[in-house]
Amino acid sequence: WVSYVQNRKFLSEKITQELMDLSAQAAREVDLWFKERLYDVRVFSSSYLLSENLEKIFFTNPGQTETAVALRRLKDYLGSVREKFIPYDELALIDAKGNTVASSAARSNPVNMPEKWLETAQAGKRILGEPYREEGNGAVMVIGEPIQGGQGRLLGVLVAKLNFHTIGSSLESYVQGQEVELQLVTRGGLLLAGSR
């Protein structure tokens, strides 16, 4: 009986330690993945093409033809970037009123922006929404980067709708051949991604 109790305690401690190590490695991987996504959006938003065309649309009073050309350029840019970067379901440009100016999606859906996003954008800071479930799409999260024009005025916000599908495959690689499942969940219990 003493041997059984000691072996059980030893195995329990070993399993707990292995799970903690695996969780710590996966947490570092998720953290790196998320930092890369934030960096991506910052790079996308710094394109001269975005600021130049938004400046034309909102501040130079162009004619209908010039506005249509500027909108087409914005849509083409967003679509091109979206095709190359899988973790984003949609890239959109919104104005200071929250209206979508251009989107990578064929049919633009309303963007689920967090509260006080405009104040955050006007301060030149990154906008981070809370993860939520989108019907037919799984868990998504909104990341926004303000686009500043001349004299520091806010031209708009580049919004990326981040999906968590790609992080699931990373979690899967950590547990191959093991009877373990890793899940990424919010504090509220919303499942974002898992190794299965």
Side-chain angles (χ1 to χ4, degrees):
W1 175 257
V2 170
S3 174
Y4 169 77
V5 169
Q6 288 176 338
N7 283 337
R8 183 175 174 165
K9 181 180 178 188
F10 171 75
L11 284 174
S12 179
E13 287 173 358
K14 185 176 179 184
I15 290 170
T16 301
Q17 186 60 47
E18 286 180 12
L19 288 174
M20 287 174 60
D21 291 346
L22 185 62
S23 295
Q25 289 174 347
R28 282 192 295 275
E29 180 72 22
V30 168
D31 188 43
L32 178 63
W33 177 85
F34 191 67
K35 284 179 181 176
E36 288 172 352
R37 302 299 70 86
L38 295 175
Y39 180 75
D40 288 347
V41 176
R42 175 160 284 165
V43 169
F44 303 158
S45 71
S46 64
S47 170
Y48 181 69
L49 189 140
L50 295 180
S51 57
E52 178 186 40
N53 285 295
L54 286 171
E55 194 88 44
K56 275 184 191 172
I57 292 169
F58 294 125
F59 297 104
T60 62
N61 295 327
Q64 278 187 319
T65 306
E66 290 172 318
T67 300
V69 168
L71 287 171
R72 171 56 49 204
R73 285 183 182 155
L74 291 172
K75 186 165 180 57
D76 289 347
Y77 172 78
L78 296 175
S80 171
V81 170
R82 164 56 194 93
E83 284 177 15
K84 292 178 181 127
F85 291 87
I86 298 167
Y88 307 100
D89 286 340
E90 181 182 356
L91 295 172
L93 284 168
I94 60 171
D95 63 15
K97 295 177 183 172
N99 301 319
T100 302
V101 176
S103 172
S104 64
R107 201 175 114 225
S108 182
N109 300 316
V111 180
N112 189 8
M113 295 298 285
E115 284 185 39
K116 299 189 179 180
W117 67 270
L118 183 56
E119 292 90 345
T120 305
Q122 287 171 334
K125 296 180 183 174
R126 174 181 296 134
I127 301 158
L128 294 175
E130 290 292 321
Y132 63 96
R133 280 231 172 259
E134 192 171 69
E135 191 175 319
N137 203 19
V140 295
M141 177 181 171
V142 169
I143 301 171
E145 278 290 339
I147 300 168
Q148 305 278 330
Q151 302 163 348
R153 65 179 165 220
L154 180 68
L155 298 175
V157 175
L158 175 66
V159 177
K161 193 182 291 183
L162 177 66
N163 68 51
F164 292 91
H165 303 302
T166 54
I167 194 64
S169 57
S170 292
L171 294 176
E172 190 177 323
S173 69
Y174 274 96
V175 297
Q176 280 183 333
Q178 299 182 44
E179 293 296 321
V180 175
E181 181 178 356
L182 288 172
Q183 294 182 337
L184 177 63
V185 296
T186 65
R187 288 181 183 165
L190 174 66
L191 176 65
L192 301 177
S195 58
R196 290 189 184 173

